[in-house]
Structures are given as C-alpha cells and as structure tokens.
Amino acid sequence: MALNLLSDPWIPVVRGKSTVTIRPDQIEEPGVARLAWPRPDLNLACLELLIGLVSMADPPTDRVDWRSRLVNPDTGRLRGALEAFAPHFELTGDGPRFLQDLEVFEETAKTADINPVDMLYIDSAGNSTALKNADLMVKRRRYTSLSPAEAAMALYTLQAFAPSGGSGNRTSMRGGGPMTTLVRPIDYDHAAYPLWRLVFANVLPGIPLAAGDAETALPWLRPTRTSKLESEITTPDDSHPLEAFFGMPRRLRLVFENDRVTGVVQRPYGTNYGGWYDHPLTPYYRRREEDPEWLPVHPRPGRLSYRNWLGTTLESAAQGKGIRRTARTIRECRNVGSHAPDFEVMAGGWAMDNMKPMDFSVHVYPGFPGLDEDGESRVHQLVDAANTASGALRKALKYAGKLDGASARADETFFGETEGEFEASVRRITAGEQEVEEKWHGTLRGHAVGIFDERTLGGLAERDIAKVEKQLAARRNLQIALARQVREKLCLPILAKGEKRK
C-alpha cells in the first residue's frame, strides 16, 4: 500500500464524537479536536511534524499575520501550500522515501540483518537486551507488522527523539530523548479550531521554502552525510534551519510485505548533528554564563515540580540569568505583547538513562504570559525561597533521624503541596499585588513545619527522651531557618524575637 504523507489521509484525530483519519492540511478545518495515536509519544511527535510542515510550506509572515491566522484559519490554504511538496513525502516506492536513507540497502540485506518493526519504538528491547533476557522495563516483539501510517509515525518519532543506540547509531540533533515544549493557547473563544491553534501557535514567522529548494531541508532527498569519523559533524551551517523538524540521525529502510511494514534495516553512522543550540521547540541551558555551548534540556522521570519547569517557561526565573533559555516558540509568543493569547506550556518527552528509556510523560503548566521583567524577578525569589525552605526541611529531618524511607520524599511532598499556591501567587504578581511575598512565606512555613511534624512527632510519649530532645531541637532549627534565610530570599524584613508579623 502506497502512502503519501501530504496527499493521503493517515493521521488519526478526534472530530466530534468520532475518530477519523485526515491529511495534514485538514487540521485547518473546524471540529478537529486532537490527535488520536495509540501512544502519547506518537502524539507529541506528530505535533512536531505538523509544526514542521506548516513552517516549511506556509508560515506566518509576521506577528500580525500569526495572530490573525491563529484565530481565523483560512481553510484550504494549507492544502495548496503543501501540494508542491507532495512528491517528496512518499513512504514507499523506487524514489526517495520519507525519513529513509537514499541508498536502497534493504534489497541486499540478509535475513539476519532485518530487524523487527519493534525497533522503531524507543521503549522496545534491542537485540542485546533480548538475548540477555534483560527486557524488564522495555518490550520485545510486540508487533509482527505495522500499517504504513503507524510505521511512518513511529519512524518520525524515532528520528526526532533518537536515543543512544549502540556503536555508530546516532542520537537526534537534540540528544537522546529531548524535552519538547509547546505553546498551548487556552481556547475560551475559539474552540472550533483546537488542533489548528495548538499547531500554529508554535509556528515561527518566516519565509516559505521554495519547492525547488526542498533538497536543502529534507535530508532523505540527498545522500546521507555519514559520520564514521567523529569529526564528521553536521551543524546548522551545513543545512537549512527546517532540518530541525526533519532530522535523520539514523540510516533506516523499511521492509514492506503485503502492504504492511514487516521489518527495518539499519546501517550505522548516519548524520551526526552538532551545534544545533536553538531548536524551536526545546529549552536549553548552560552550566555557567561564560560557557559558549548551550545544551538541550532532557526530561526527568516523574512529574516536574514548579522549581524545575520554570526554566522551560520563564528564562529569568531559572537559577541565575543567562544559564537557561526557553524554547524559541515560547519566547516569540511572549514577544507578541498585548496581542499574545493566554497560553499554557505543554512539556514532554522520554526520560532516558543513556540507552534505557525510563519514562515518557507530557505535562501542562501555566504560561504566565502577562509577567513583565520585574514580575519575573519576583517569581525567581518565590522559587529561591521554596528551595531554601525545602533544604531546611530536609536538613531538619536528617538531624532528627527521619530522612529515610517515605521521609526521603519530603521534597516531592513539599513542592506538590505548595504548587497550587505558587501558581496563585504568580497570578497575583501578574495582577500587580504587593503583599504576595509575605503570604508565600506563610505558605512555605506552614507546609514545611507540617511535613516535619507529620514525620517526626507522632508517639513522642513512647520515645527515649534523648531522641525527643533531638527532634524538638531539629524543629526549632527549622523554624529559625524559615524565619531568617527564607525571609531573606523574599527580601522581607527579619523579625525580632517575639515581634509579630503585620
């Protein structure tokens, strides 16, 4: 079965009360609510693909055009823009194939060299893992074959998020398992076009790619720039910026049988990307301000707390200015000024331990679009104060002999319990309120002492007096730290002993 990714319907979406398949251009149509792939990593990768396609064929010309089309898409416009690129997006056939090596090496591959289609999924067991029966957290041979649509989406996901894959198998241009952050407009007034708004909100203003220049941006149209030597690195200077959405670190060819994809052949030493320090959808960091190299942020297992995800939302709210940089799409959305939509930030990706997938997650956080520079500085203080309070709590529990087992998760509990009030505090700062810091200090004090008491003070009458005295001393030290160091972080006056807060 032939599949053209631009002219054939192949993307599953929820429309009304049904799941249907659409062409990429049909995201402009009303009622297309959300993607409906059976796996969350495919949904996130498909959003990246759609953003890349619109960026390639029909980006907004400027911020005014961006705002206008975000609210009122021109149904049918995207189809005409994508039409000229359709010949370059075939999944099968004798010519160039979407995201597959130009060399037809599957035709001469030995049976032993044909991998199961499972290898297209990041959480599948590799050959070495399967042979050692070490696939406890990853799976083997879940699928004997895939439909062309499933294979196309899995192929894109692997190329976009490619982790370490053994000798010569390159990672994605953002490293293995990068974090993706997307602007997600809050649809109060324009619910008719939710998928379009989610995609187009993350398309940067630019100039459409000329169809005649497709080879410069789509690497499957040209021989692979191989990388057997470590010095063979492909930088942004060697390609078109749009390759950020269409990178090909892996040399792959799909094997078809009876209109299904039944195997994958891989060759080592694909494109070795380096120096891509500003992918439009990924936040970056550096260890020190003087470091020239920016590194892509990678997700951690589990849910991020507000102390972690602020670096993906507000640059100056990270630990010091100049070491965190939010994704370019988020920066651009903020720069629209008063015309910016109220938005949230969708952050997700694979948490990896080198070649080992740990967790895939997608979370949505407030975007705080109305904050000015002074407001961001105040938010920075809120986070610093919370980190200081959490550190004091952890130190007190350790001194009291309770930093083990469930108590070791005190940080997670503390940030989880205070997250709702943190978001409310940021909104009050956005509204110009001035008493936010004092209220936030009260929140931190109440939760830190409450968590300490819950973990230490139960059954005091039945304990050795020396242990009780040590726990009470730890509690006093915690209260002192909360009254001094935490207030200093919030630029609040230190109260004299016995002095009451106003």
Side-chain angles (χ1 to χ4, degrees):
M1 175 185 174
L3 174 64
N4 185 287
L5 277 69
L6 299 188
S7 58
D8 294 330
W10 66 283
I11 299 174
V13 298
V14 174
R15 188 171 196 168
K17 297 181 179 180
S18 303
T19 299
V20 299
T21 56
I22 64 170
R23 301 182 307 271
D25 64 272
Q26 290 180 277
I27 61 172
E28 287 185 316
E29 297 177 0
V32 179
R34 64 182 183 277
L35 297 169
W37 292 102
R39 293 170 50 109
D41 57 340
L42 300 189
N43 283 325
L44 185 63
C46 192
L47 287 171
E48 286 205 15
L49 173 60
L50 292 169
I51 293 164
L53 292 176
V54 179
S55 300
M56 174 187 71
D58 195 19
T61 56
D62 52 32
R63 293 174 183 171
V64 175
D65 186 37
W66 177 83
R67 176 62 180 171
S68 175
R69 291 172 59 193
L70 180 69
V71 177
N72 296 304
D74 183 359
T75 303
R77 172 173 170 166
L78 184 57
R79 184 173 189 180
L82 289 172
E83 190 174 10
F85 296 95
H88 308 313
F89 282 81
E90 297 285 353
L91 189 68
T92 63
D94 297 331
R97 295 180 176 183
F98 174 71
L99 282 182
Q100 297 169 68
D101 202 274
L102 194 59
E103 184 180 344
V104 190
F105 49 72
E106 81 279 10
E107 292 185 354
T108 57
K110 299 178 181 179
T111 302
D113 295 330
I114 301 177
N115 299 283
V117 291
D118 263 36
M119 75 152 289
L120 294 175
Y121 293 104
I122 290 174
D123 58 339
S124 293
N127 290 337
S128 175
T129 302
L131 287 172
K132 296 176 183 177
N133 285 320
D135 48 332
L136 178 63
M137 299 303 292
V138 294
K139 309 298 179 183
R140 72 170 87 170
R141 295 191 178 275
R142 289 168 294 178
Y143 314 100
T144 57
S145 66
L146 297 174
S147 71
E150 292 167 335
M153 200 62 254
L155 175 63
Y156 183 88
T157 305
L158 177 60
Q159 297 281 29
F161 301 151
S164 299
S167 178
N169 294 326
R170 303 303 184 188
T171 64
S172 82
M173 64 175 56
R174 296 171 286 173
M179 175 181 284
T180 293
T181 57
L182 302 177
V183 172
R184 191 173 86 163
I186 299 174
D187 289 308
Y188 296 119
D189 302 319
H190 307 285
Y193 303 98
L195 183 55
W196 165 255
R197 284 171 58 76
L198 176 56
V199 170
F200 197 70
N202 294 280
V203 178
L204 298 170
I207 301 172
L209 179 70
D213 294 333
E215 184 178 316
T216 65
L218 306 179
W220 59 91
L221 300 181
R222 58 182 189 262
T224 297
R225 185 191 293 265
T226 56
S227 58
K228 193 167 186 178
L229 300 178
E230 289 299 322
S231 59
E232 296 173 312
I233 297 175
T234 297
T235 71
D237 293 335
D238 301 316
S239 186
H240 194 283
L242 283 169
E243 192 164 339
F245 293 105
F246 304 109
M248 278 180 55
R250 300 290 183 90
R251 299 189 68 191
L252 303 171
R253 292 285 293 190
L254 301 182
V255 177
F256 291 81
E257 185 177 341
N258 298 326
D259 296 333
R260 302 277 294 181
V261 179
T262 57
V264 185
V265 179
Q266 179 170 230
R267 290 253 180 112
Y269 306 113
T271 304
N272 188 14
Y273 292 101
W276 292 73
Y277 300 150
D278 202 15
H279 188 286
L281 304 181
T282 290
Y284 287 78
Y285 73 97
R286 53 186 177 182
R287 295 181 178 88
R288 297 179 300 274
E289 286 191 54
E290 59 269 23
D291 289 348
E293 183 178 10
W294 289 88
L295 304 172
V297 174
H298 296 266
R300 299 177 181 179
R303 190 176 191 277
L304 298 178
S305 69
Y306 59 87
R307 62 173 171 169
N308 303 122
W309 56 255
L310 269 180
T312 70
T313 306
L314 302 174
E315 290 177 11
S316 65
Q319 294 179 352
K321 295 184 178 180
I323 63 171
R324 288 272 182 173
R325 188 169 66 197
T326 58
R328 191 144 45 101
T329 52
I330 293 176
R331 300 201 303 269
E332 284 292 322
C333 191
R334 290 189 178 283
N335 290 338
V336 176
S338 61
H339 295 291
D342 191 7
F343 68 88
E344 300 168 319
V345 175
M346 178 189 294
W350 277 102
M352 302 293 300
D353 180 8
N354 197 13
M355 295 172 62
K356 181 181 177 182
M358 304 293 291
D359 181 29
F360 183 86
S361 59
V362 176
H363 303 295
V364 177
Y365 306 110
F368 307 126
L371 277 174
D372 56 17
E373 186 174 350
D374 178 65
E376 290 192 22
S377 179
R378 292 176 68 188
V379 171
H380 186 188
Q381 292 176 351
L382 300 187
V383 177
D384 274 355
N387 281 327
T388 302
S390 175
L393 171 61
R394 190 169 55 251
K395 184 177 180 180
L397 287 170
K398 183 177 181 180
Y399 184 80
K402 291 293 181 178
L403 196 61
D404 57 359
S407 295
R409 295 192 295 272
D411 270 1
E412 182 179 338
T413 301
F414 177 78
F415 283 99
E417 289 184 357
T418 56
E419 183 166 306
E421 183 56 33
F422 171 77
E423 293 180 13
S425 297
V426 177
R427 297 194 187 283
R428 287 195 287 270
I429 288 175
T430 303
E433 294 186 25
Q434 298 302 313
E435 299 297 323
V436 177
E437 286 78 6
E438 190 69 69
K439 293 178 182 178
W440 179 237
H441 177 259
T443 295
L444 298 178
R445 184 183 66 250
H447 284 279
V449 173
I451 292 170
F452 180 88
D453 289 349
E454 180 184 351
R455 285 161 169 73
T456 62
L457 300 186
L460 283 179
E462 303 171 4
R463 298 183 191 175
D464 179 84
I465 188 65
K467 292 183 178 180
V468 171
E469 288 179 349
K470 191 171 185 179
Q471 290 171 359
L472 292 176
R475 190 177 192 274
R476 287 194 297 271
N477 291 337
L478 172 61
Q479 290 178 315
I480 291 171
L482 293 168
R484 294 179 180 174
Q485 289 99 316
V486 174
R487 291 184 69 81
E488 286 178 355
K489 292 293 184 181
L490 292 169
C491 297
L492 294 172
I494 307 302
L495 302 177
K497 187 174 182 180
E499 181 181 356
K500 293 185 179 180
R501 298 172 183 82
K502 296 181 181 179

